[in-house]
Amino acid sequence: MVLQFGINVIVPIFLCMAVGIVLSKVTSSHSDMYIIGGILIGIVAAFNGAYRSVKGYLKNEESPGQRARRLEEEAKNQSEEKHD
């Protein structure tokens, strides 16, 4: 999850910055406004992607450890019911 989170943040920033660099060279502009604009758009896209990837984990109030214990207890109860 951590690696995917990092990718969701880094990739949009670099892609938008690359587009800004290309636009700056194509238009023969000596100002860095396209690059700065690309970086800003990339940051917004990165936060949006990171939020969407983390949103699913935030909805689940049960931690992975709690879920594992609950599943173990359910399996134990089911096996006890089969023996009765």
Side-chain angles (χ1 to χ4, degrees):
M1 181 181 147
V2 174
L3 180 63
Q4 182 178 359
F5 183 78
I7 290 171
N8 283 343
V9 171
I10 297 294
V11 170
I13 294 172
F14 281 126
L15 284 177
C16 290
M17 183 177 67
V19 169
I21 291 170
V22 169
L23 283 175
S24 181
K25 288 185 180 188
V26 166
T27 60
S28 300
S29 174
H30 294 291
S31 70
D32 295 332
M33 293 307 294
Y34 290 114
I35 299 170
I36 294 171
I39 291 171
L40 292 176
I41 291 171
I43 290 171
V44 170
F47 277 116
N48 186 25
Y51 172 73
R52 287 180 183 222
S53 68
V54 173
K55 185 170 69 170
Y57 293 103
L58 294 177
K59 276 186 175 179
N60 191 2
E61 295 176 4
E62 186 177 51
S63 72
Q66 291 171 334
R67 182 175 186 270
R69 283 191 294 276
R70 180 180 54 82
L71 292 175
E72 286 176 5
E73 290 175 6
E74 288 175 2
K76 183 179 174 184
N77 291 339
Q78 287 178 358
S79 65
E80 289 175 357
E81 289 175 2
K82 288 181 182 179
H83 291 295
D84 289 339

